[in-house]
């Protein structure tokens, strides 16, 4: 086959281990998955109720424009419907952006370590990837600015950043955006936006009004608890969105996903509750780390990256044997850490017990 040379060394996405896989392998009854930053409380009862009653026509294609969801999100954010693009998860919006702007001869600037899909898609498109190392878990915005030249077409920013949980504050982000050439697209991935509590966090939608080269990505997979339905979206200047829309597959979001996402938005109390529980959960992990003398990055997301000062895979396997699936930092660019999703209070107690046991054992 005459494959694009760019794809020859790519590996398929390695998902976190599935619950069934671990049950079988370790002969365990109860498995807790804290590996993919999913919502431990599921989704809103409003969504559950809607799904019980909703009987969409099977044989007819969904509304590719997602008109009803579009209207709901536009109202919720107070933006125009034309400022939105929906994807089969925000993963797909990342793919669409990459397809539209990246190619051999151009470069793209991103933090590292960060969400791997920016790099992955850039490689497929044959663009030069300029990865700028984080400093103390945070974006090196100066370094990123310095890496931009006349061949840069996309700059990726992830705040709160996966896997560190660090965020960018209002003044730093504003200064950064002000210095980026108007013909360079900035993608601000806010997958964990709803969990943020920092007071000096920016308002991404005001930034979209001010900077016509900014697109913000959000998702229903995290706090809304709808990861299986695959709905995410981008919000930006109308001109950017209208340029991207033709690249979207005609029926990229499905009928159940559209309905579930629209229903989920109606229950902001659920979101607030999850956010509150998440804060308490993070405090559980922080106290454990402080007591055990382990370093971590204070997180604005629903996960925490903990440095165990030993091989991350080893910690990962140790916790797996106790029935807890976390993410080894090895594959995330932090070889002696693990990333743990904040679970329910009980789940957090459980995984922390398992961590203590592991620390005590050697
Ligand atoms: C989970 C995640 C996404 C992907 O979300 P989907 O909408 O499920 O595709 C995007 N960006 C970051 C940083 C994430 O952690």
């Amino acid at each position: 086959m005459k494959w694009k040379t760019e794809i020859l060394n790519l590996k398929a996405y390695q998902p976190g281990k599935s619950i069934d896989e671990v049950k079988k392998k370790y002969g365990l009854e109860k498995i807790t998955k804290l590996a993919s930053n999913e919502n431990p409380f599921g989704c809103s009862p409003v969504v559950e109720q809607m799904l019980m009653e909703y009987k969409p026509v099977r044989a007819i294609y969904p509304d590719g424009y997602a008109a009803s969801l579009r209207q709901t999100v536009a109202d919720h954010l107070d933006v125009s419907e034309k400022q939105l693009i929906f994807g089969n998860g925000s993963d797909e919006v990342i793919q669409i952006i990459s397809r539209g702007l990246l190619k051999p001869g151009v470069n793209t600037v991103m933090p590292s370590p960060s969400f791997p899909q920016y790099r992955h898609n850039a490689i497929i498109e044959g663009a030069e990837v300029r990865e700028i190392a984080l400093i103390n878990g945070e974006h090196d915005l100066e370094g990123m600015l310095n890496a931009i030249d006349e061949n840069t077409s996309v700059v990726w920013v992830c705040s709160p950043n996966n896997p560190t949980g660090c965020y960018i504050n209002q003044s730093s982000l504003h200064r950064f955006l002000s210095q980026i050439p108007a013909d360079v697209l900035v993608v601000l991935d806010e997958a964990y936006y709803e969990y943020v509590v920092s007071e000096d966090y920016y308002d991404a939608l005001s930034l979209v009004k001010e900077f016509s080269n900014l697109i913000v990505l959000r998702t229903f997979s995290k706090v809304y608890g709808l990861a299986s339905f695959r709905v995410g979206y981008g919000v930006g200047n109308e001109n950017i969105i209208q340029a991207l829309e033709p690249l979207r597959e005609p029926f990229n979001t499905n009928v159940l996903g559209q309905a579930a996402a629209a229903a989920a938005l109606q229950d902001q109390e659920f979101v607030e509750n999850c956010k509150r529980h998440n804060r308490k959960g993070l405090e559980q992990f922080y106290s454990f780390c402080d007591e055990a003398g382990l370093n971590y990055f204070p997180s604005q997301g629903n996960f925490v990256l903990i440095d165990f000062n030993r091989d991350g895979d080893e910690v990962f396997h140790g916790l797996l044997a106790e029935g807890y699936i976390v993410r080894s930092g090895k594959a995330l660019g932090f070889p002696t850490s693990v990333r743990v999703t904040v679970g329910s209070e009980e789940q957090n107690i459980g995984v922390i017990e398992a961590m203590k046991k592991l620390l005590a054992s050697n």
Side-chain angles (χ1 to χ4, degrees):
M1 294 302 138
K2 300 166 189 174
W3 299 113
K4 291 165 80 166
T5 51
E6 288 89 357
I7 72 164
L8 294 177
N9 292 318
L10 285 181
K11 289 205 182 71
Y13 178 73
Q14 299 282 316
K17 284 221 182 319
S18 82
I19 291 181
D20 282 345
E21 235 177 307
V22 177
K23 265 189 190 164
K24 243 190 229 149
K25 183 160 175 218
Y26 290 86
L28 292 165
E29 272 304 305
K30 189 173 149 244
I31 304 292
T32 306
K33 183 167 181 261
L34 301 172
S36 304
N37 305 339
E38 292 134 337
N39 190 336
F41 307 107
C43 66
S44 158
V46 174
V47 176
E48 298 294 355
Q49 186 63 37
M50 181 281 297
L51 287 172
M52 276 197 293
E53 293 158 9
Y54 188 48
K55 296 272 183 289
V57 187
R58 270 63 164 152
I60 304 293
Y61 282 107
D63 170 15
Y65 191 63
S68 173
L69 172 61
R70 183 176 291 271
Q71 180 72 58
T72 309
V73 174
D75 291 348
H76 180 70
L77 302 179
D78 195 21
V79 299
S80 147
E81 294 169 36
K82 291 188 183 144
Q83 288 184 267
L84 296 169
I85 181 166
F86 288 90
N88 189 37
S90 46
D91 272 350
E92 197 199 16
V93 185
I94 294 170
Q95 185 184 22
I96 292 170
I97 291 168
S98 304
R99 197 165 179 204
L101 288 152
L102 300 181
K103 60 183 177 186
V106 310
N107 69 67
T108 179
V109 175
M110 60 188 70
S112 174
S114 189
F115 192 57
Q117 291 308 304
Y118 317 141
R119 178 174 198 276
H120 188 84
N121 281 286
I123 288 172
I124 294 172
E125 302 303 341
E128 180 201 336
V129 177
R130 297 190 174 174
E131 294 181 280
I132 309 304
L134 301 176
I135 298 177
N136 262 330
E138 297 185 8
H139 287 55
D140 173 8
L141 294 177
E142 273 310 305
M144 290 177 71
L145 282 173
N146 289 334
I148 297 172
D149 62 20
E150 67 280 6
N151 295 320
T152 304
S153 59
V154 183
V155 175
W156 305 87
V157 177
C158 187
S159 172
N161 186 48
N162 182 0
T164 56
C166 301
Y167 73 108
I168 305 173
N169 68 34
Q170 150 71 25
S171 58
S172 307
L173 184 59
H174 193 273
R175 206 175 326 119
F176 179 72
L177 292 171
S178 309
Q179 291 175 75
I180 297 196
D183 61 352
V184 172
L185 181 68
V186 182
V187 184
L188 172 56
D189 187 344
E190 278 200 306
Y192 302 96
Y193 149 77
E194 294 87 353
Y195 285 110
V196 173
V197 296
S198 279
E199 280 173 10
D200 59 351
Y201 196 69
Y202 49 84
D203 172 21
L205 297 175
S206 330
L207 293 173
V208 162
K209 282 202 191 110
E210 187 176 349
F211 297 97
S212 59
N213 59 337
L214 176 66
I215 184 168
V216 174
L217 305 187
R218 294 206 180 148
T219 179
F220 287 93
S221 300
K222 304 287 159 61
V223 81
Y224 287 101
L226 298 176
S228 68
F229 283 94
R230 313 301 305 122
V231 185
Y233 62 90
V235 51
N237 182 282
E238 218 178 291
N239 295 329
I240 297 174
I241 300 299
Q242 295 321 306
L244 291 173
E245 270 286 293
L247 309 185
R248 183 176 62 69
E249 278 182 48
F251 307 107
N252 63 333
T253 54
N254 66 78
V255 71
L256 286 174
Q258 290 178 20
L265 266 190
Q266 308 308 321
D267 191 355
Q268 289 301 313
E269 204 183 314
F270 174 80
V271 172
E272 281 306 312
N273 273 330
C274 293
K275 179 175 175 177
R276 210 172 45 245
H277 284 295
N278 183 66
R279 261 308 113 188
K280 286 195 191 149
L282 280 170
E283 295 297 336
Q284 289 176 271
F285 286 101
Y286 296 167
S287 320
F288 157 69
C289 291
D290 292 341
E291 275 167 35
L294 302 178
N295 287 324
Y296 60 91
F297 292 112
S299 174
Q300 292 296 318
N302 66 339
F303 55 87
V304 57
L305 189 69
I306 303 175
D307 188 354
F308 280 82
N309 263 315
R310 61 174 91 181
D311 189 283
D313 284 354
E314 191 187 301
V315 179
F316 165 78
H317 285 293
L319 296 175
L320 203 56
E322 299 291 322
Y324 291 93
I325 314 176
V326 301
R327 200 79 202 233
S328 167
K330 265 266 173 85
L332 303 176
F334 290 91
T336 60
S337 298
V338 299
R339 191 194 66 195
V340 193
T341 302
V342 176
S344 65
E345 184 180 5
E346 190 198 342
Q347 291 173 331
N348 300 335
I349 292 172
V351 74
I352 287 169
E353 277 312 308
M355 287 170 175
K356 285 182 179 164
K357 199 167 152 186
L358 195 80
L359 290 175
S361 72
N362 48 27

